Amino acid sequence: MTDKNNKIPFNEDNYTHNINRNNERKLDRRGFMKTLVGAAGVFAVSSLPWGVLAAKELNGLEDKKYPKQKITDVSALPVGDAVDFAFPGEHDSAILIRLSEKKYVAYQNACTHLRCPVFWKKDEGEMLCPCHHGKFDVETGAPIAGPPRRPLPEIHVKVENGAVYAVGVKRYEA
Amino acid sequence: MKKRLYLELENCIGCRSCLAACTQCGGHEERNRNYVYDVNPLVNRQTMPLMCLHCVNPACARSCPAQAIQIHETGAVLSALVEKCIGCQNCTIACPYGIPKFDTEQNLMYKCDLCIDRTKDGIPPMCASVCPSNTLQWLTDDEIEAKQKQFNLDNGKWVTSMPYLEGETNVKVNLPGILQGVTKLF
């Protein structure tokens, strides 16, 4: 009878059930929730710099300058043939197609549907994505069949001293 | 010098001063938070005050799902925090003495907090400071010890709420001699 109900404190976890005034905000559930929300806020705020960087990157795409890059020699590319290269980065695969004696077109050849490599079908005269049979107009890069809805990003090329150079990227504009 | 509320229940004359004082205690919003009971209604006129006994291990606070009832460092069990209380009335059910009162309009519990704004600075709670018959006293532990000597003990067991009523309490209660079977000297 004398020690009935009188074990202070009960042998229980008091981190979620605290009734001591002085442990308020240290041990109770609300303190825990405040810690969670505060941490979430800290994470959210600390991610803002990356958002700023991304926004800068996206806004600055228009006037982004890449160093010109040699693709191939004119003599190595007969009319109607294509050659694969990478521009501007080593993972941005691209394709250069020689349509006539003077006319070259180049596109980043990741299909705008699911990024399969688009290749040049010489005998059909069209650019084909093998994954879902998306087709692109070779003159403009615009999609003409299949699932892709956006044109391929065009790469500006320049012919100098018997070689073809990639000088810039004309990106897709919504 | 830690002082406690000490109830000498036999002295009560039923004047309800403690209730009136409680309504005027700071932060009590004109509501009294203690009780004056008839001990034997319709048999005799003896009354007794009952206020929160401020358990060391309070059932109300342990039953509160929102931890709205907190124990102050002085040992006082505070009234429900307004911003936490969810009005579930668990505490009113859990309290073995029936102390917590419920405000159905605001859906909040309120109970005696031993006038914490006074007692935290060593000032006696309102009820004790107005009691005309010394039923409610504000005493140190030594003074409570000295109270024993006023009693003739035949069993060596003079108690102020010891052994505990339901558990150890910070407020000490001297149950009336009538109930204890002991005679008061004074």
Side-chain angles (χ1 to χ4, degrees):
Chain A
M1 178 69 194
T2 47
D3 62 352
K4 178 182 87 166
N5 224 4
N6 227 31
K7 306 269 185 292
I8 312 285
F10 276 10
N11 191 10
E12 63 188 20
D13 180 10
N14 276 331
Y15 279 91
T16 54
H17 194 278
N18 163 62
I19 51 176
N20 281 315
R21 178 66 135 191
N22 288 345
N23 290 339
E24 172 83 343
R25 296 294 167 271
K26 252 196 316 201
L27 290 175
D28 60 355
R29 286 198 292 252
R30 285 192 178 201
F32 176 68
M33 289 306 293
K34 287 194 171 189
T35 310
L36 282 191
V37 172
V42 167
F43 288 137
V45 169
S46 63
S47 71
L48 287 178
W50 277 266
V52 171
L53 285 180
K56 258 188 177 159
E57 175 76 15
L58 289 171
N59 286 327
L61 285 180
E62 286 306 310
D63 44 352
K64 204 162 174 171
K65 291 279 178 285
Y66 302 108
K68 76 172 185 179
Q69 174 187 321
K70 180 178 173 183
I71 301 171
T72 178
D73 288 317
V74 171
S75 55
L77 187 63
V79 173
D81 270 7
V83 63
D84 284 332
F85 64 105
F87 183 82
E90 57 171 317
H91 298 296
D92 303 314
S93 68
I95 188 167
L96 172 72
I97 305 162
R98 187 174 184 180
L99 294 176
S100 66
E101 201 60 44
K102 283 271 162 62
K103 185 165 189 202
Y104 297 86
V105 289
Y107 301 102
Q108 289 190 340
N109 71 340
C111 175
T112 53
H113 172 228
L114 286 174
R115 304 195 63 78
C116 285
V118 176
F119 68 98
W120 167 240
K121 281 192 86 152
K122 187 177 174 179
D123 41 6
E124 312 274 332
E126 59 194 10
M127 297 172 74
L128 177 71
C129 174
C131 292
H132 309 94
H133 285 270
K135 291 180 183 175
F136 293 91
D137 180 8
V138 71
E139 301 284 341
T140 62
I144 50 178
R149 301 297 177 87
R150 287 164 291 137
L152 294 170
E154 190 181 333
I155 292 174
H156 300 302
V157 293
K158 198 165 61 176
V159 182
E160 277 180 1
N161 316 326
V164 185
Y165 293 90
V167 293
V169 181
K170 175 179 179 292
R171 287 183 192 266
Y172 165 72
E173 288 160 0
Chain B
M1 186 56 76
K2 185 169 156 45
K3 290 196 168 190
R4 298 175 183 282
L5 187 61
Y6 171 81
L7 311 191
E8 188 93 55
L9 294 183
E10 274 187 332
N11 292 354
C12 183
I13 56 172
C15 68
R16 310 294 197 280
S17 292
C18 45
L19 299 188
C22 190
T23 58
Q24 296 175 31
C25 191
H28 285 197
E29 294 168 347
E30 301 300 311
R31 296 181 301 194
N32 57 341
R33 298 165 175 224
N34 46 13
Y35 303 83
V36 175
Y37 286 125
D38 286 348
V39 177
N40 285 313
L42 308 176
V43 176
N44 59 29
R45 305 285 298 148
Q46 178 66 52
T47 53
M48 57 174 269
L50 184 65
M51 40 279 300
C52 177
L53 299 177
H54 296 283
C55 303
V56 173
N57 191 14
C60 57
R62 281 197 286 112
S63 72
C64 179
Q67 292 111 56
I69 309 170
Q70 296 187 325
I71 306 171
H72 194 265
E73 59 207 19
T74 59
V77 181
L78 302 178
S79 182
L81 295 170
V82 168
E83 67 271 17
K84 281 192 181 184
C85 177
I86 58 172
C88 70
Q89 301 189 47
N90 276 8
C91 48
T92 57
I93 298 164
C95 177
Y97 314 108
I99 297 296
K101 297 187 176 187
F102 194 73
D103 182 341
T104 46
E105 277 184 24
Q106 292 187 58
N107 203 38
L108 293 173
M109 181 278 268
Y110 63 102
K111 70 180 267 300
C112 164
D113 56 1
L114 203 63
C115 292
I116 193 62
D117 51 342
R118 306 172 112 245
T119 53
K120 74 173 193 291
D121 299 323
I123 306 166
M126 272 300 218
C127 51
S129 60
V130 301
C131 182
S133 61
N134 263 354
T135 307
L136 306 169
Q137 301 175 41
W138 184 243
L139 304 177
T140 62
D141 282 342
D142 296 342
E143 287 168 320
I144 292 175
E145 282 296 305
K147 289 272 175 191
Q148 282 199 50
K149 299 179 175 59
Q150 299 178 18
F151 290 83
N152 287 324
L153 303 175
D154 55 356
N155 56 0
K157 268 177 56 174
W158 178 85
V159 283
T160 54
S161 56
M162 310 269 262
Y164 315 124
L165 302 162
E166 293 289 336
E168 191 180 350
T169 57
N170 282 305
V171 174
K172 299 301 180 193
V173 184
N174 180 18
L175 294 172
I178 301 161
L179 300 182
Q180 287 191 75
V182 296
T183 324
K184 272 184 76 167
L185 293 179
F186 305 104

